[in-house]
Amino acid sequence: MGNANGFGSQVTLGAEVWRSHGWVLHDAQHQIEGLVSVFVYHAPGVVTAPTNSTSSTVNQYDVSAFPAAAQNLFKRFRTMRHPYLLPFKDGGVFQDKIYIVTERIAPLEQRLSEFLNYNYGLSWGIYQIAVS
């Protein structure tokens, strides 16, 4: 699908896997991390202006133009570290999109029926939620 704007040659977006509430999940290839998933948020009508930075990195754009929920998610996702949460690998804001790069994942909807075929699959999932 080509390179994600702003990530240059670091991330090559692949097929769209899932879409909900303005977020689109893509399978992708990261130059350093290998196979990854990329969440892309596009807010219709939002165009961010570059800050005074002369750097050409993705983070040169201001996230404050996005809705509060998207701003909060991006800010929290970058700083949270927990063994049971999806790890943040890379990300940033470029023009009218927020990019969040994580380890390769599949939507729960796609894996749930497969997971429930295991004898103790449901109880294992409840246990993992309880201990996190």
Side-chain angles (χ1 to χ4, degrees):
M1 241 188 191
N3 293 335
N5 290 335
F7 281 103
S9 61
Q10 285 188 339
V11 176
T12 304
L13 291 181
E16 181 180 309
V17 177
W18 173 84
R19 175 183 294 264
S20 180
H21 303 292
W23 289 95
V24 179
L25 175 65
H26 291 272
D27 285 337
Q29 177 72 36
H30 192 278
Q31 185 177 11
I32 298 167
E33 300 288 341
L35 295 176
V36 295
S37 290
V38 179
F39 290 91
V40 180
Y41 181 78
H42 172 70
V46 171
V47 178
T48 59
T51 61
N52 292 333
S53 171
T54 58
S55 170
S56 62
T57 64
V58 174
N59 295 316
Q60 69 180 336
Y61 291 87
D62 185 12
V63 74
S64 66
F66 290 92
Q71 292 176 44
N72 190 36
L73 178 75
F74 181 67
K75 183 170 44 170
R76 300 289 182 249
F77 210 92
R78 285 190 335 198
T79 58
M80 288 180 25
R81 302 288 184 260
H82 191 281
Y84 293 107
L85 295 178
L86 188 61
F88 178 86
K89 301 280 188 185
D90 195 2
V93 178
F94 187 75
Q95 294 177 349
D96 61 346
K97 294 182 176 119
I98 296 175
Y99 294 91
I100 297 175
V101 180
T102 67
E103 66 186 19
R104 180 62 68 97
I105 62 165
L108 183 59
E109 297 163 344
Q110 293 178 0
R111 299 291 182 161
L112 195 55
S113 61
E114 173 185 312
F115 180 72
L116 292 176
N117 288 333
Y118 297 111
N119 289 336
Y120 296 103
L122 185 58
S123 61
W124 178 83
I126 292 171
Y127 171 78
Q128 291 298 320
I129 292 169
V131 298
S132 66

